[in-house]
């Protein structure tokens, strides 16, 4: 069965410092991987996806993610964090077991960026 | 374009009562999803519609949950009777079609509290 794991419940970063939010995956086929962000009292917003091609994927708001097949990881990164990046981040994988390839989400990582 | 709309935003009911949530997807989006997000967890798919047909309802507790999308646009999700463990945020999402099922657009959610 497909799954993703987000090992950190919370990540704390100072504004201007680089940030990394970790995600590892387990899939039976080629992984389709995604990052979503959830701001308070708002729905999830799509950030970026990896399907094939370059291992470094660029997304919205200056975020990028690095796909690493040998480590089965898909960590989210940003070179310089902003206070406004504080939110809940979800990693997701396409569910090949589902009838139409729906998404399976991790439990989320709360990112807190302090001024 | 207008986003996914949901109502109500908040609902408090007592156990054994019934409740209904409404969702209006992005115009032209054929695929609609209902997710349940329990505090501290990632969203879990309850049901997926393609136009007015059900594609996947394997994780919907059918003894108490029901959903419909009669005209292939708006959708309602109902719980009857509610249990304490149904307290969660119910998210509606839509995508252009099944081929784009991994790029979903989410509404703000309905926060349900069952007392």
């Amino acid at each position: 069965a497909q799954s993703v794991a987000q090992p950190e419940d919370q990540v704390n970063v100072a504004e201007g410092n680089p940030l990394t939010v970790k995600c590892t995956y387990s899939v039976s086929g080629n992984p389709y991987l995604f990052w979503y962000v959830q701001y308070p009292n708002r729905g999830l917003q799509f950030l970026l996806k990896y399907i094939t091609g370059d291992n470094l994927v660029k997304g919205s708001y200056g975020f990028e993610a690095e796909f690493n097949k040998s480590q089965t990881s898909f960590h989210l990164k940003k070179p310089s964090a902003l206070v406004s990046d504080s939110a809940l981040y979800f990693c997701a994988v396409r569910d090949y077991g589902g009838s139409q390839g729906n998404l399976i989400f991790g439990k989320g990582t709360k990112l807190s960026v302090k001024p | 374009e207008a986003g996914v709309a949901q109502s109500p935003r908040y609902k408090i009911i007592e156990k054994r009562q019934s409740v209904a949530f409404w969702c209006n997807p992005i115009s032209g989006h054929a695929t609609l999803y209902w997710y349940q997000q329990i505090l501290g967890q990632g969203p879990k798919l309850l049901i997926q519609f393609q136009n007015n047909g059900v594609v996947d309802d394997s994780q919907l507790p059918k003894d108490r949950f029901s959903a419909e999308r009669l005209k292939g646009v708006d959708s309602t999700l109902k719980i009857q009777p509610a249990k304490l463990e149904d307290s969660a945020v119910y998210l509606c999402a839509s995508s252009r079609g099944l081929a784009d099922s991994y790029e979903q657009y989410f509404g703000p959610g309905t926060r349900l509290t069952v007392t």
Side-chain angles (χ1 to χ4, degrees):
Chain A
Q2 281 65 232
S3 66
V4 290
Q6 295 181 243
E8 304 155 315
D9 290 336
Q10 181 158 344
V11 171
N12 298 311
V13 177
E15 187 175 31
N17 283 359
L19 69 87
T20 299
V21 182
K22 296 180 180 178
C23 173
T24 59
Y25 66 88
S26 174
V27 301
S28 54
N30 291 325
Y32 285 23
L33 297 159
F34 312 86
W35 277 100
Y36 280 78
V37 59
Q38 187 174 35
Y39 297 100
N41 298 315
R42 296 179 66 178
L44 279 74
Q45 296 179 34
F46 172 79
L47 273 181
L48 51 81
K49 66 178 183 283
Y50 171 84
I51 296 177
T52 186
D54 194 350
N55 289 344
L56 186 63
V57 179
K58 295 188 182 298
S60 306
Y61 313 121
F63 283 94
E64 57 190 25
E66 185 172 9
F67 171 69
N68 188 316
K69 188 172 183 178
S70 62
Q71 297 185 6
T72 62
S73 66
F74 188 57
H75 301 333
L76 182 69
K77 300 182 179 183
K78 188 173 183 180
S80 179
L82 300 173
V83 173
S84 57
D85 293 331
S86 299
L88 195 54
Y89 290 81
F90 290 94
C91 182
V93 66
R94 183 170 182 169
D95 179 13
Y96 286 89
S99 59
Q100 294 296 340
N102 288 310
L103 298 176
I104 296 174
F105 288 88
K107 65 178 174 61
T109 298
K110 182 178 179 181
L111 174 66
S112 179
V113 182
K114 300 296 185 184
Chain B
E1 61 182 0
V4 176
Q6 289 187 248
S7 67
R9 293 294 309 278
Y10 305 92
K11 189 74 176 179
I12 300 174
I13 61 172
E14 296 181 351
K15 59 183 179 184
R16 291 186 290 272
Q17 286 186 324
S18 63
V19 65
F21 313 128
W22 173 83
C23 172
N24 181 244
I26 292 174
S27 177
H29 279 196
T31 311
L32 184 146
Y33 315 78
W34 282 103
Y35 288 87
Q36 181 191 58
Q37 185 178 11
I38 293 173
L39 187 64
Q41 299 180 20
K44 183 186 80 171
L45 180 71
L46 292 175
I47 189 168
Q48 177 189 1
F49 291 94
Q50 174 68 8
N51 296 313
N52 61 349
V54 175
V55 174
D56 185 352
D57 63 356
S58 58
Q59 298 193 85
L60 186 73
K62 298 181 185 64
D63 57 333
R64 297 184 301 106
F65 286 66
S66 65
E68 60 184 13
R69 193 184 185 200
L70 292 175
K71 296 183 178 180
V73 182
D74 294 5
S75 177
T76 56
L77 176 70
K78 297 179 181 178
I79 307 175
Q80 182 180 7
K83 293 185 175 181
L84 295 176
E85 58 261 36
D86 297 332
S87 294
V89 176
Y90 290 85
L91 296 167
C92 180
S94 69
S95 64
R96 289 186 178 85
L98 294 175
D100 301 303
S101 63
Y102 49 79
E103 194 157 339
Q104 300 176 20
Y105 296 81
F106 285 79
T110 297
R111 183 177 298 275
L112 174 67
T113 302
V114 182
T115 62

